[in-house]
Amino acid sequence: MEEYKGLTDNELIARLKKYSIPHGPIVGSTRKLYEKKVYEYET
Amino acid sequence: TSQKHRDFVAEPMGEKPVGALAGIRDILGKKLADQGFDKAYVVLGQFLVLRKDEENFREWLKDTCGANAKQSRD
Amino acid sequence: TSQKHRDFVAEPMGEKPVGALAGIRDILGKKLADQGFDKAYVVLGQFLVLRKDEENFREWLKDTCGANAKQSRD
């Protein structure tokens, strides 16, 4: 999961869009959830 | 819905504590409060920022305070 | 408050676009929408998650879409 912390918000959003994962904006209180959803998708 | 939820929606949310939310009892409420979600309106804010997506909201709740399926559904 | 704001609060927020918010015009609205804040309720969510702290909210708005002091006050 560590590598996802290095992603910029835009990079994270690009992956969420690429994987069609429903998402809202990346803010402090949502970032961790979305990093996890991308991690789960990619693993 | 539970009586607790009916009581909650019967009046403006105002500054109600997070424990006033249906499904959120002492332990869960404490874990949420420890992470800054000490008021019901902050949890509402998180639901809105998650674009009212129930699945994402439940997953966030489980990750944040360990709420189980029933608790997060409530 | 502006007529735009009076119009906004005169009815439930529902699915109103972010541009319906007072102070948020086309350019700002587009920048916010590009980052996922396309609906007024999502911006409300962020305000609530920021614990209704006006200063933090204005700073966030400036950082997110470049709103100036007047726009963020509105």
Side-chain angles (χ1 to χ4, degrees), chain C residues 1-69:
Chain C
T1 58
S2 65
Q3 183 58 46
K4 188 178 185 186
H5 184 65
R6 282 196 294 277
D7 294 347
F8 183 79
V9 296
E11 56 188 359
M13 186 181 313
E15 296 293 311
K16 284 186 179 178
V18 65
L21 288 169
I24 302 296
R25 300 184 54 75
D26 6 11
I27 313 268
L28 298 189
K30 171 115 180 41
K31 281 185 186 171
L32 281 167
D34 288 349
Q35 296 178 71
F37 293 91
D38 57 332
K39 302 277 188 186
Y41 74 75
V42 189
V43 176
L44 168 62
Q46 178 65 356
F47 178 63
L48 296 176
V49 166
L50 291 174
R51 309 178 61 72
K52 302 192 260 191
D53 181 293
E54 292 216 7
E55 195 182 324
N56 285 345
F57 180 68
R58 285 187 193 163
E59 190 161 335
W60 167 79
L61 204 53
K62 186 161 65 72
D63 295 349
T64 307
C65 69
N68 64 34

Side-chain angles (χ1 to χ4, degrees), chain B residues 1-64:
Chain B
T1 57
S2 66
Q3 183 58 43
K4 187 177 185 187
H5 185 63
R6 281 196 293 277
D7 294 346
F8 183 79
V9 296
E11 55 189 0
M13 186 183 316
E15 297 293 311
K16 283 186 180 178
V18 65
L21 289 168
I24 301 296
R25 301 185 54 75
D26 8 8
I27 315 267
L28 298 190
K30 172 119 181 38
K31 282 184 184 172
L32 281 166
D34 289 350
Q35 296 179 70
F37 295 88
D38 58 330
K39 301 277 187 186
Y41 74 75
V42 189
V43 176
L44 169 61
Q46 181 69 1
F47 179 62
L48 295 175
V49 163
L50 289 171
R51 301 182 60 76
K52 303 191 254 190
D53 180 291
E54 293 219 6
E55 194 194 325
N56 282 346
F57 180 69
R58 285 189 192 161
E59 192 162 340
W60 169 79
L61 205 53
K62 184 164 60 71
D63 295 348
T64 307

